[in-house]
Amino acid sequence: ICSHVSIANRLTRTHVNYEVKGDVAVIRMNDPNSKVNTLSVQMQREMSEVMEEVWANTAVGSAVLISSKPGCFIAGADINMIQACTNTEEVTRLSQEGQKMFEKIEKSPKPIVAAINGSCLGGGLEFAISCQYRIATKSKKTVLGTPEVMLGLLPGAGGTQRLPKMVGIPSAFDMMLTGRNIRADKAKKMGLVHQLVDPLGPGLKGPEERTIEYLEEVAIEFARGIVAKKIPLTKEKGTMQKLQDYVMSYPVVRNQIYKTVTGKVMKQSKGLYPAPLKIIDSVKAGLEQGPDAGYLAESQNFGQLAKTTESEALIGLYQGQVICKKNRFGTPARPVKTLAILGAGLMGAGVAQVTVDKGIHTILKDTTVPGLARGEQQVYKGLNTKTKKRTITTFERDSILSGLTGQLDYSGFEKADMVIEAVFEDINIKHKVLKEVEAVISPHCIFASNTSALPIKDIAAASIRPDKVIGMHYFSPVDKMQLLEIITTEQTSADTTAAAVAVGLKQGKVIIVVGDGPGFYTTRCLGPMLGEAVRVLQEGVGPKKLDQLTTSFGFPVGTATLADEVGIDVAAHVAEDLGKAFGSRFGGGNVEVLKTMVDLGFKGRKSGKGCYVYQEGLKTKEVNRELDDIMDKYKLTPHPSVSSDSDVQYRLVSRFVNEAVLCLQEGILNSPVEGDIGAVFGLGFPPCLGGPFRFVDSFGADKLVQKMRAYEAVYGDHFTPCQLLLDHANDPSKKFHK
Amino acid sequence: NSQFQTKSKKSLSRPGVKNIVLVEGVRTPFLLSGTTYVSSLLHEGLLNKTALPKDAVDYIIYGTVIQEVKTSNIAREAALGAGFSDKTPSHTVTMACISSNQAMTTGVGLIASGQCDTIVAGGVEFMSDVPIRHSRKMRKTMLSLNKAKTLGQRLSLIGGIRMAHLAPELPAVAEFSTAETMGHSADRLAAAFGVTRLEQDEFALRSHTLAKKAQDAGLLEDVISFKVPGRDIVSKDNGIRPSSMEQLAKLKAAFVKPHGTVTAANSSFLTDGASAVLIMSEEKALAMGYKPKAYLRDFVYVSQDPKDQLLLGPAYGTPKVLQRAGLTMADIDVFEFHEAFAGQIMANLKAMDSDWFAQTYMGRTSKVGAPPMEKFNLWGGSLSLGHPFGATGCRLVTTVAHRLRKEGGQYGLVAACAAGGQVSRDHAVCPSTGTVLWGQESGDLSTDTHTVLMGHVYSTPWFSHRKVFLCYRGRIGADKTLLTGRDRPIRQYRFS
């Protein structure tokens, strides 16, 4: 009967199955409905069944755990499973079930070898580290890590308890608090995996298929070796490791570590993110009060975290990012194989850098030799940094650079499939290059403008084929900022949009596609906030205080610093343009403040002076004292009723949020998801709030409107809430995110 | 008799194309690196064997992999040292493991284009003495010292020298483009094709056993004795060590540890040695009274991905050169493949025998087929004889010529893979794979010809060679005389 049951189970199982090879059970995971394996309810149920059968089977001496999916072992727990829980107790129970399952794995009488190829993250890593032995492929796709903290959670299935013992307390904190991915070779050094296997090239089967097969063969060999006691499960510890363990055995030292780590976390997170603190708490409980207390703390903390607004916001961002990494416009008619960039400035060269290393032939054109040389050097420098970090070899660097052509003329433009211009922000210059380019390019070639504020339809007005004109707004520095804002006009064809999105995705960008208008979405939202910031400065709040107020609200970069980074001249330019386009709503601070600063040469970091004074080689920056005279000249008297620290924060944020909601109302934005992603990844809106729309949902539209009305009473229409926001305030059941 | 009637082609000669012949091939004994120091000058042996007047040579080409800094054009130094006329120009070529193949095909080119009639081509390698350099920082300091004008400048430069600068820089054993050692690559290749440890050990044992047999039977007649200054005369390859499967099974993996399958015993070993061949236009050879050993017919160089297909050259090159010559695998009587690693040879054989591989990676409709083992490397190979990188190509070609004569075949094929794996990083040469196909026409029937087909496959990521040489034909009469020319004898001479 037993065997019948197991056969019946085997037939109905879809996610996990096993095969006995000699005396080794090979357990294979493969979620048929997804590109990746997750520890979903079904996966867990089938895994438990299979494990019970393996343990019961007397012919089996050991087991190998492997994924049949190329590029993924287990990508983590199923987020939907956590979100489906209605209260903290339910999530805690979920965590405890996971803990129990992995405890059984850890105590397995038959050694289990985890054979890891591809991503092994979150719950997947917790599963792997509860196995007796781990073998990983050295493939670039193989990464291990605990990214839970980035979702406002913690490793809730024993991770906070097992990791410190496995890799030491400092490394465990580093892994869990940063959530960063660890490549296979590093994992081996850290003691996270025991053995590495090289990925294979073409043989009698495809490389990926054969690599998984080979990994399985090697893992089976090791499983037998472990049973035969030929392969030790513990590595001989090095002197450094022994020393570290010895030092860590003193509670005083451990306490000092908790203190230091907590201090660091508080400094970086401003106390706005609860997850890192809970991780420290869980680790501490386990180490100081024993495993029972540790596992209990872990599961309870996990339950509490899962129901915080911060976690909800971060998960929302993660899901939004997944959405914005897809091309909803379909596959373009022709893939872009040659991309030409006009202007080798910071932006142009940045775009070249993220393009050429993706195997797209890149032409970088400038008008002067020094300009071109600077741009090419920037690309080289970017790639060289990667060789120093060992992500690419010097050979790969040189090979990549061979795909970059620097030039001063339009030769070869007839082969370009897309041209991105990154020339000076002046409509006349843009028109001039557009006409020059259209004279030389082939009919299918797309013209994209990297402008931050000029409406695309104004640029397209000079085009003989406006359906091929589109806006691609990159953020500086291009190689670090993840966002790309693509702007379509009414005339832009769907295929042009699809091609632009495809290029952006290839460049590794998170993409929002928005409608045309002055400042599009991102610059437009920033406008009123900058205007308010200038007013705040005029009211006598110094740049340092302004930065402190914004960073403590959750902005990664303070507003004064941001203005310096963007460039005061750019800010003045944008403020004036948008002020003209949108009228008094964009008022607030006096534009003359910015203009005077520009006149005095205070253009921000690039000129050495802005709100702050920048000195080569110095990390600390001093407030620019010469600013005081300007502020004296344009001094405003603060209104005590709306000038508390908190009020200043909400004045800045509410204008940002109101403009974002207005963009959705006007159809500039396609969805609140894109609005949130654009604000967080492009403008540094506090990630813990999840973006302006999620902020309205969680803060309450009514409460926000109430605040804005108070400010409106003092400052006028700068704070008038838009209709959509009012709708949400009047009907609490209305939410931007379901 | 009947054996030759089944050939696709009776001869590979083509109208209007010069016939090029191999007159003689010699080599020093191949010695394990560090066992006995071998001098490079083996021309004398070649000259003695062929009684060639020293001033009759038009041009000398040598292949080498790791160059000695002081003798960067080693061909010229060797020629002068051997007493060749100082009017004979020489140059050195490098192409990793097939450097001497490149030397030979370059010579073929010079003859075919009418530049020369008599060429000495060869290869040399001394792993016992590779150049070891100062570190880059030290070199920079030393070069700056030359330019320093004042004592103060000199002192400040010397003062800048740190302990770390004194560490020497060894020639890298890793592929420049991928930083992977060749043994590592071979292990991955074997795994990709599912070649087991057992298969590799069996092949290695076969190589050693066959080499021993050939050595004992005196078949390795291209080896000339050599007097090492201050030491004894060496007259035999010293790397041939037939062992047992049990012994081989005991060895641990050498590169991929601990689960790899490539061991010291199933890899070719670091070897010192030199080889040379005398190549002539047929007319000239006959005019000088030589009896050519083989016709050199065709060759091709190919290149692939230096990471995953580093050592797959023979699989890619063989069908190509056969296609060029209009032959099939069945036409070839003698195969000599360079045995870099037993696993690499087995992987190549499996690739050649796979329709899927031919269709997926080679753009062919079907497989070319694996060479039959009864025709394959019957006198041992690089695994047992040794592999002085620059010198292996000439050994393979000479062996094919000798085997064709001994075994009575018509067409022979040589294939070799090469990699920049063992190339010093600074040479920045990073070829990946190659095959040589040579052939001979000779025989003992008035109607047939023994043709040596020469093909050469080689590759680098940056440049690929395709040269076309199809030249020679000849036949041997019933009285053991060789008849050349198209269908009538131009000149006759007796075979020894």
Side-chain angles (χ1 to χ4, degrees), chain A residues 705-725:
Chain A
V705 166
Q706 200 184 332
K707 277 191 184 292
M708 288 184 77
R709 292 291 187 208
Y711 305 143
E712 190 185 19
V714 177
Y715 296 113
D717 66 350
H718 306 154
F719 287 96
T720 309
C722 69
Q723 190 54 49
L724 185 58
L725 190 57

Side-chain angles (χ1 to χ4, degrees), chain A residues 451 456 470-473 485-489 492 514-517 520:
Chain A
T451 171
I456 303 300
I470 196 164
M472 288 174 87
H473 178 200
E485 183 180 30
I486 289 179
I487 305 103
T488 58
T489 70
T492 308
V514 303
D516 195 20
F520 328 121

Side-chain angles (χ1 to χ4, degrees), chain B residues 325-339:
Chain B
L327 297 178
T328 66
M329 283 299 268
D331 291 322
I332 307 294
D333 303 303
V334 168
F335 290 91
E336 279 293 326
F337 277 32
H338 163 48
E339 301 167 347

Side-chain angles (χ1 to χ4, degrees), chain A residues 195-207 210 214 218 221-222 393 395, chain B residues 176-177 184 188 191-194 256-259 308-309 350 354 356-357 361 462:
Chain A
Q195 208 51 249
L196 296 179
V197 165
D198 286 289
L200 301 180
L204 297 178
K205 286 176 184 168
R210 178 61 196 144
Y214 179 55
V218 173
E221 221 175 283
F222 274 95
T393 64
F395 172 78
Chain B
F176 178 69
S177 56
H184 206 272
R188 287 199 305 118
F193 282 92
V256 176
K257 294 165 186 172
H259 53 273
D308 289 330
Q309 307 201 347
K350 290 192 184 209
S354 160
W356 185 84
F357 189 84
Y361 291 101
W462 298 292

Side-chain angles (χ1 to χ4, degrees), chain A residues 604-640:
Chain A
R605 180 186 274 279
K606 57 189 168 189
S607 67
K609 273 182 190 173
C611 297
Y612 293 94
V613 180
Y614 298 89
Q615 275 168 303
E616 197 74 39
L618 271 184
K619 278 198 172 167
T620 52
K621 49 184 197 252
E622 289 301 316
V623 171
N624 184 4
R625 283 288 147 225
E626 292 166 79
L627 212 59
D628 296 349
D629 299 337
I630 306 173
M631 292 310 164
D632 276 345
K633 191 176 160 196
Y634 296 101
K635 198 175 161 129
L636 295 172
T637 317
H639 297 263

